[in-house]
Amino acid sequence: QVQLVESGGGLVQPGGSLRLFCAASGSIFSIGVMGWYRQAPGKQRELVASITGAGTTNYADFVKGRFTIARDNAKNTVYLQMNSLKPEDTAVYLCDAIVRSAVSTTWRHYWGQGTQVTVSS
């Protein structure tokens, strides 16, 4: 089994910063794309940013210039640095990853449990 565990969420004032962490653990052979999604109450889940194993990144327009995604392949970890936060960034942020386990040749999509980010004065 593979688990993704996020941390780093919390309450921050508008204009502030937070750094989210997501660590993958378990029976892992290889990890493909890793990413961050968010879901606000009453809204659909939306992609925030993603990064390939080679480091190619993709960002949603609403976070370009404010958020940065990075990963450490040796630690099976992905990060999301969030700057210039706005109230509309308030949501549960979820990590995802495409993983090939050590006991299977199949690639599967895994999700973390999410971490709450609240931007409010």
Side-chain angles (χ1 to χ4, degrees), residues 1 10 16 24-25 29-30 37 44 49 51 53 62 68-69 76 79 87 92 97-98 100 102 106 121:
Q1 265 296 3
S25 63
F29 178 81
S30 182
Y37 284 73
Q44 289 189 334
I51 183 168
F62 53 79
T68 302
I69 190 170
N76 292 333
Y79 310 91
V92 174
I98 308 299
R100 178 182 167 184
T106 303
S121 55

Side-chain angles (χ1 to χ4, degrees), residues 19-20 22 24 28 30-36 50-57 59 68-80 96-99 107:
R19 186 174 173 89
L20 304 183
C22 174
I28 297 171
S30 182
I31 303 179
V33 176
M34 301 185 80
W36 289 94
S50 64
I51 183 168
T52 69
T56 300
T57 57
Y59 294 94
T68 302
I69 190 170
R71 65 190 279 174
D72 184 332
N73 291 330
K75 297 181 179 179
N76 292 333
T77 302
V78 64
Y79 310 91
L80 185 69
D96 84 313
I98 308 299
V99 180
W107 293 81

Side-chain angles (χ1 to χ4, degrees), residues 1-119:
Q1 265 296 3
V2 174
Q3 299 83 36
L4 300 180
V5 178
E6 302 101 332
S7 61
L11 172 65
V12 64
Q13 292 187 342
S17 298
L18 281 176
R19 186 174 173 89
L20 304 183
F21 303 84
C22 174
S25 63
S27 183
I28 297 171
F29 178 81
S30 182
I31 303 179
V33 176
M34 301 185 80
W36 289 94
Y37 284 73
R38 71 186 188 185
Q39 187 162 20
K43 295 187 177 181
Q44 289 189 334
R45 187 173 296 184
E46 57 186 359
L47 174 68
V48 176
S50 64
I51 183 168
T52 69
T56 300
T57 57
N58 177 53
Y59 294 94
D61 287 343
F62 53 79
V63 302
K64 284 181 179 178
R66 300 189 297 126
F67 292 9
T68 302
I69 190 170
R71 65 190 279 174
D72 184 332
N73 291 330
K75 297 181 179 179
N76 292 333
T77 302
V78 64
Y79 310 91
L80 185 69
Q81 177 66 42
M82 305 187 294
N83 299 328
S84 303
L85 283 161
K86 306 174 182 180
E88 50 264 43
D89 293 319
T90 295
V92 174
Y93 283 71
L94 303 104
C95 167
D96 84 313
I98 308 299
V99 180
R100 178 182 167 184
S101 77
V103 296
S104 172
T105 59
T106 303
W107 293 81
R108 292 185 60 187
H109 188 193
Y110 292 89
W111 290 92
Q113 81 288 351
T115 185
Q116 177 70 44
V117 171
T118 302
V119 185

